[in-house]
């Protein structure tokens, strides 16, 4: 199914037959050359194996070329540079991929590389202090698309949301809701600098009044804070769940930070680190750079993070004897490790970059280095509307809510746009640009390709040509040999390889990039068909050739549909003006 993987296996087999040790050939790659003049496939196999076999790379590449050419699908194999081997395949080999795609349908490109592996994927985890904004949407979409990608390659994925329902920000939320409650009871209110003044809390204040009337008015804080905090958290989590549903995202687990304290899980996790000799009393070096004037060395309870790759050891207890926030992180990840996952993935905003090394140190320490942890950072989103760039501040109540974006452009457009940049690159969300129906809008461009393919199938069916997959997968594609059609078939052949690499590197944006390239190749064939009859997908004067070209179009449609499903986007059947 993966033509690139198949030829890589063949190349490695030839090297093994020459005497190369199979366990030392992992560095062998087989790629599509950047320049078409260098062939259709390129491998560094001879360069990798030359030292192992005591041979010169160029001489070994020449011998490897002879071996590769014994496969009748190879038309040419040429040694290039210091020992690269570039080769070309027959048009029939490339076109045969279309039949595979049609035969496999939505399973085309699906692999079992993750079969039997259970992954915990934590993402979003926004503080429950208000609805999600567009910045949160990026992490939400990235995490969900990554989960879909991993599931497509055989992993079992548990999507988890860490609810930060402890700490000062929740106290501030409780006080903010109480102010809105007083407001609902006709009281004049004034927000402090640490409180949340967004209008989204007005409804919560009115709901609290419906429950308690004016019974809480005038009571001291200790009588109502804990109750109002829990009420506020529940109200905000309802908002957040609804926001996620707008994007088609459903979490499997909502894990409460407070449970770590209530169930003494922090004590258990730190006791485990202490048992491993990783907790000690010590004095940290002064912070690098500008040292605060009030800084002074003092004895602290520390985690020996430097033993597991961190830059410094980390405090786990405050001067008042309470646990640091990092202590909660330790306990939370100890819980994940204890639940039997094979791999952990955290998706954080870029403002959490300082947590990467310390969390990796914790997971390494608690799992004896056996538990893989990948932390993906999503960069900021700059929202542009007709007023310019929008600010993001929950406390000030000035931010673009996720639901505003979805209401304006739709869930599918929101998701696709969030994946059209690598996760650690800044992203601009321009409302005018993402709704424009132009070549510069990748969402429109990919969806338009799928709609055009659906149009081809409708037109073909109306002309009495076969459009059923059972017929198309058996079609002799021999007449679809125009160079532009081969380019399109080669792009289809890349799909399994793109999926595998995207899953391996946890980079779902590769799927979006690939779909844009595939759509570009398809539109090019469509446009040239206006002047070149043999490229027209439906030609009444060439019914046999039309069927082969319909099969090619159908295979493109299958891949676009599969790719959009991974991104969580519904393919469009017919474009609307």
């Amino acid at each position: 199914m993966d033509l690139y993987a198949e030829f890589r296996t063949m190349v490695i087999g030839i090297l093994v037959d020459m005497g190369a040790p199979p366990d030392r050939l992992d560095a062998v790659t087989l790629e599509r050359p950047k320049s078409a003049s260098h062939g259709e496939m390129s491998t560094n196999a001879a360069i990798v194996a030359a030292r192992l076999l005591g041979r010169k790379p160029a001489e070994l590449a020449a011998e490897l070329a002879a071996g590769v050419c014994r496969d009748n699908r190879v038309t040419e194999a040429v040694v290039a540079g210091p020992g690269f081997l570039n080769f070309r395949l027959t048009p029939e080999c490339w076109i045969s991929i279309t039949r595979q795609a049609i035969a496999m349908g939505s399973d085309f490109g699906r692999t079992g590389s993750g079969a039997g592996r259970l992954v915990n994927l934590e993402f979003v985890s926004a503080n429950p202090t208000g609805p999600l904004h567009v910045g949160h949407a990026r992490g939400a979409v990235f995490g969900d698309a990554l989960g879909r990608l991993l599931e497509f390659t055989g992993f079992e994925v548990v999507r988890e949301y860490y609810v930060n329902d402890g700490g000062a920000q929740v106290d501030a939320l409780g006080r903010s809701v109480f102010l809105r409650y007083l407001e609902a009871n006709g009281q004049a209110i004034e927000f402090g600098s640490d409180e949340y003044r967004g209008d989204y809390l007005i409804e919560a204040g009115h709901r609290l009044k419906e429950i308690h009337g004016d019974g809480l008015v005038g009571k001291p804080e200790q009588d109502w804070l804990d109750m109002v905090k829990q009420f506020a958290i529940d109200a905000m989590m309802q908002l957040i769940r609804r926001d996620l549903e707008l994007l088609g995202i459903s979490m499997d687990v909502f894990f409460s930070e407070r449970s770590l304290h209530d169930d003494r899980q922090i004590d258990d996790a730190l006791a485990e680190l202490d048992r491993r000799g990783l907790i000690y009393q010590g004095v940290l070096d002064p912070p690098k750079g500008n040292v605060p004037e009030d800084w002074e060395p003092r004895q602290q309870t520390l985690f020996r993070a430097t033993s597991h790759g961190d830059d410094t050891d980390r405090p786990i207890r405050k001067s008042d004897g309470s646990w640091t926030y990092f202590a909660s992180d330790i306990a939370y990840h100890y819980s994940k490790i204890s639940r039997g996952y094979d791999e952990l993935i955290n998706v954080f905003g870029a403002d959490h970059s300082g947590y990467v090394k310390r969390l990796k140190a914790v997971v390494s320490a608690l799992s004896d280095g056996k538990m893989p942890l990948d932390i993906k950072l999503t960069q900021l989103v700059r929202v542009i509307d007709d007023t310019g760039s929008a600010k993001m501040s929950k406390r000030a109540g000035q931010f673009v809510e996720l639901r505003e974006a979805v209401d304006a452009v739709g869930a599918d457009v929101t998701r696709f746009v969030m994946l059209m940049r690598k996760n650690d690159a800044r992203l601009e969300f321009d409302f005018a640009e993402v709704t424009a129906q132009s070549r510069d809008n990748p969402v429109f461009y990919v969806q338009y390709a799928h709609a055009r393919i659906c149009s081809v199938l409708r037109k073909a069916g109306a002309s009495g040509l076969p459009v059923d997959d059972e017929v198309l997968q058996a079609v002799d594609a021999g007449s679809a040999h125009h160079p532009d059609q081969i380019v399109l078939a080669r792009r289809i052949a890349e799909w399994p390889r793109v999926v595998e690499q995207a899953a391996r590197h946890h980079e779902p944006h590769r799927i979006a990039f690939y779909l844009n390239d595939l759509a570009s190749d398809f539109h090019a064939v469509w446009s040239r068909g206006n002047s070149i009859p043999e490229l027209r997908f439906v030609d009444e004067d060439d019914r046999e050739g039309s069927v082969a070209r319909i099969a090619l179009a159908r295979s493109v449609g299958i891949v676009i549909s599969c790719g959009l499903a991974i991104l969580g986007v519904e393919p469009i059947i017919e474009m609307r003006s």
Side-chain angles (χ1 to χ4, degrees), residues 372-530:
L373 168 64
D374 187 19
I375 299 179
K376 310 298 286 191
L377 301 176
T378 57
Q379 261 293 354
L380 299 175
V381 177
R382 180 169 174 255
V383 180
I384 302 174
D385 58 16
D386 55 6
T387 64
S389 182
K391 295 181 179 179
M392 296 287 183
S393 170
K394 271 191 180 180
R395 290 192 189 274
Q398 299 174 346
F399 60 92
V400 178
E401 292 186 23
L402 179 153
R403 62 181 54 248
E404 292 179 69
V406 174
D407 288 345
V409 304
D412 286 343
V413 171
T414 302
R415 289 188 67 114
F416 201 106
V417 169
M418 292 295 175
L419 294 165
M420 272 308 297
R421 292 287 184 275
K422 194 174 185 295
N423 57 284
D424 56 3
R426 287 177 178 259
L427 183 146
E428 287 192 353
F429 193 96
D430 187 327
F431 283 97
E433 186 176 292
V434 301
T435 54
Q437 295 192 0
S438 73
R439 168 67 180 88
D440 295 329
N441 180 352
V443 191
F444 170 78
Y445 201 58
V446 172
Q447 290 282 32
Y448 191 27
H450 190 270
R452 274 181 159 175
I453 290 164
C454 292
S455 173
V456 166
L457 296 175
R458 287 194 297 270
K459 182 178 180 181
S463 299
L465 292 167
V467 294
D468 294 336
D469 286 350
E470 293 79 3
V471 177
L472 294 180
Q473 66 181 281
V475 165
D476 179 7
S479 58
H481 279 184
H482 189 279
D484 286 2
Q485 293 168 330
I486 302 304
V487 167
L488 189 52
R490 283 206 305 262
R491 187 74 70 184
I492 295 168
E494 290 180 17
W495 171 241
R497 175 170 160 270
V498 169
V499 168
E500 191 63 29
Q501 290 181 341
R504 184 184 308 123
H505 296 287
H506 299 162
E507 294 182 341
H509 73 273
R510 293 183 185 225
I511 305 298
F513 287 9
Y514 168 84
L515 290 179
N516 193 52
D517 290 339
L518 177 62
S520 178
D521 291 340
F522 175 80
H523 287 305
V525 174
W526 177 285
S527 298
R528 295 194 70 190
N530 292 325

Side-chain angles (χ1 to χ4, degrees), residues 18 106 108 118 120 155 208 224 296 307 400 415 425 435 522:
M18 292 178 182
S106 60
F108 180 60
L118 180 63
N120 179 281
F155 290 87
L208 196 61
W224 54 259
E296 58 182 32
S307 297
V400 178
R415 289 188 67 114
T435 54
F522 175 80

Side-chain angles (χ1 to χ4, degrees), residues 85-155:
L85 181 63
N86 301 330
F87 54 96
R88 299 181 185 276
L89 307 181
T90 65
E92 291 79 10
C93 180
W94 292 114
I95 292 296
S96 68
I97 295 297
T98 65
R99 294 195 293 271
Q100 290 185 27
I102 297 171
M104 300 189 71
S106 60
D107 287 332
F108 180 60
R110 193 184 297 272
T111 74
S113 58
R117 292 185 63 80
L118 180 63
V119 177
N120 179 281
L121 175 58
E122 180 206 340
F123 61 107
V124 189
S125 296
N127 287 339
T129 53
L132 300 181
H133 56 57
V134 172
H136 295 133
R138 188 173 192 188
V141 169
F142 174 85
D144 188 58
L146 177 55
R148 291 167 181 262
L149 173 62
L150 293 174
E151 288 168 340
F152 194 75
T153 53
F155 290 87

Side-chain angles (χ1 to χ4, degrees), residues 276-298:
R276 295 166 183 254
L278 296 171
I279 302 295
Y280 72 102
Q281 299 297 313
V283 178
L284 289 176
D285 292 333
K288 296 178 181 178
N290 295 325
V291 179
E293 291 183 3
D294 60 350
W295 185 87
E296 58 182 32
R298 64 180 180 84

Side-chain angles (χ1 to χ4, degrees), residues 189-260:
I189 63 172
E190 185 174 345
F191 290 98
S193 59
D194 291 334
E195 287 158 355
Y196 298 89
R197 51 187 79 186
D199 290 347
Y200 58 86
L201 294 179
I202 293 175
E203 181 183 350
H206 281 279
R207 285 168 53 197
L208 196 61
K209 179 180 182 295
E210 290 173 4
I211 297 170
H212 296 281
D214 60 359
L216 303 178
V217 176
K219 289 198 171 183
E221 183 175 287
Q222 64 265 25
D223 287 355
W224 54 259
L225 182 58
D226 286 345
M227 180 272 294
V228 173
K229 279 198 302 185
Q230 188 57 55
F231 172 86
I233 291 168
D234 291 343
M236 294 305 101
M237 288 308 299
Q238 281 186 343
L239 281 179
I240 288 170
R241 282 185 171 92
R242 290 204 297 266
D243 288 344
L244 292 173
E245 287 171 1
L246 288 174
L247 288 173
I249 298 172
S250 176
M251 292 291 180
D252 300 304
V253 176
F254 286 89
F255 190 100
S256 165
E257 177 194 350
R258 196 186 317 165
S259 70
L260 298 171

Side-chain angles (χ1 to χ4, degrees), residues 297-310:
R298 64 180 180 84
Q299 283 282 119
Q300 297 182 81
T301 304
L302 302 171
F303 162 53
R304 205 180 299 275
T306 50
S307 297
H308 288 269
D310 200 356

